[in-house]
Amino acid sequence: MRSPGCPLCESAGGELVATGAHFRLIRADEAGFPAFYRLVWGDHVAEFSDLAADERQHCMEAVAAAERLVREHLSPDKVNLAALGNQVPHLHWHLIARFRWDSHFPSPVWAAAQRPAPADKLAALQARLPALDQALRQRLAF
Amino acid sequence: MRSPGCPLCESAGGELVATGAHFRLIRADEAGFPAFYRLVWGDHVAEFSDLAADERQHCMEAVAAAERLVREHLSPDKVNLAALGNQVPHLHWHLIARFRWDSHFPSPVWAAAQRPAPADKLAALQARLPALDQALRQRLAF
């Protein structure tokens, strides 16, 4: 079910990392956060509670599987999950690996920056993404 | 399982609205957002993927049940869900009713305010909370 004019119905919304039967995982292009993923539900629904119970379970098991791989590959200090959708009311879960050294920690990524993120840390993180993405692609094909 | 020094292990963390077997629902005291709830997992775990699959399902069915009641009682323009925990790494889900007139919409509540929230709208929202809280208390006793 698609909604005309919805950017997440009409385009991938970022770099496509993995495709499941009912969702896709993309990497967002958010400055300073290389490991910022979004799990986008396939159908156009606005709210998490618009899903049926089995769909919610499917969705959150995908989120949890992605989170586990992010933790295994990147050892973040914290993972942040969020379904906001104020701007694009098409269900998508932000999944963001957070580090004490990142530009906003411990604030949410949407708050004001606290410091510049060190370029060497960002580069080291970026270098780990291809292996993580491959693991996500294999694991999330359900 | 409790962790010494964790504020969500050692206190309710807000006004207690509902108590389930494995979680509690509190209302946070966040200026400008009367309908800002937190579903706090009972055990001290940092990440959503630290839960077992059946615990994740239990947790998210509670979140979805709360979300449905918030939608029924308040007709928000959007519901925001988030598990961040950078400051307090004890699993809790923020559940926030958002309105086009609120101080930050469409930005996340953690971003910069866009405008003052109208006092009459805040008061009208506040007036609906006792009935919502009662419904939440009944529905979330699982």
Side-chain angles (χ1 to χ4, degrees):
Chain A
M1 192 177 58
R2 289 168 178 274
S3 176
C6 168
L8 288 178
C9 287
E10 298 194 339
S11 69
E15 189 186 332
L16 190 63
V17 173
T19 309
H22 300 288
F23 61 83
R24 65 183 182 274
L25 186 76
I26 61 176
R27 194 163 53 245
D29 182 22
E30 301 282 343
F33 296 97
F36 192 138
Y37 293 88
R38 290 194 180 106
L39 193 138
V40 181
W41 193 250
D43 282 340
H44 183 87
V45 297
E47 304 287 6
F48 181 57
S49 60
D50 286 331
L51 298 182
D54 63 335
E55 294 175 317
R56 285 196 293 271
Q57 190 178 7
H58 189 92
C59 182
M60 296 315 292
E61 285 308 285
V63 169
E67 181 181 287
R68 270 195 300 271
L69 285 173
V70 165
R71 294 173 69 187
E72 285 171 28
H73 282 251
L74 306 180
S75 301
D77 292 307
K78 192 69 192 67
V79 177
N80 290 174
L81 303 177
L84 308 178
N86 304 327
Q87 313 240 17
V88 180
H90 176 135
L91 181 64
H92 56 284
W93 284 95
H94 303 278
L95 192 165
I96 315 159
R98 300 297 309 279
F99 299 88
R100 294 189 193 287
W101 52 259
D102 76 33
S103 54
H104 288 59
F105 201 89
S107 296
V109 301
W110 303 283
Q114 313 256 332
R115 68 192 73 84
D120 60 334
K121 302 264 195 196
L122 284 175
L125 180 55
Q126 191 85 45
R128 290 177 163 192
L129 296 184
L132 170 56
D133 285 0
Q134 188 177 358
L136 287 165
R137 194 153 33 242
Q138 290 173 350
R139 178 67 185 83
L140 291 185
F142 67 84
Chain B
M1 194 178 58
R2 291 171 176 273
S3 175
C6 169
L8 289 178
C9 287
E10 299 193 339
S11 70
E15 189 186 332
L16 190 63
V17 173
T19 307
H22 300 288
F23 61 83
R24 66 184 181 272
L25 186 75
I26 62 175
R27 195 165 51 246
D29 183 22
E30 300 282 342
F33 296 96
F36 191 137
Y37 294 88
R38 290 195 179 105
L39 192 137
V40 181
W41 193 249
D43 283 339
H44 183 88
V45 298
E47 304 287 6
F48 182 58
S49 59
D50 286 331
L51 299 181
D54 62 336
E55 294 174 318
R56 285 195 294 272
Q57 189 178 6
H58 189 92
C59 182
M60 296 315 292
E61 285 309 287
V63 169
E67 182 182 286
R68 269 193 302 267
L69 285 173
V70 165
R71 294 172 70 186
E72 284 171 28
H73 282 251
L74 306 180
S75 300
D77 292 308
K78 193 67 192 69
V79 178
N80 291 174
L81 302 176
L84 307 178
N86 304 325
Q87 313 239 20
V88 180
H90 176 135
L91 180 64
H92 56 283
W93 284 95
H94 304 279
L95 191 165
I96 315 159
R98 301 296 310 277
F99 299 88
R100 293 188 194 287
W101 52 260
D102 77 33
S103 53
H104 289 59
F105 201 90
S107 296
V109 301
W110 303 283
Q114 313 256 332
R115 69 191 73 82
D120 61 333
K121 302 264 195 196
L122 284 176
L125 181 57
Q126 192 84 44
R128 291 178 161 191
L129 297 184
L132 170 56
D133 285 0
Q134 189 178 358
L136 287 164
R137 194 154 32 243
Q138 290 172 352
R139 177 68 183 83
L140 291 185
F142 68 84

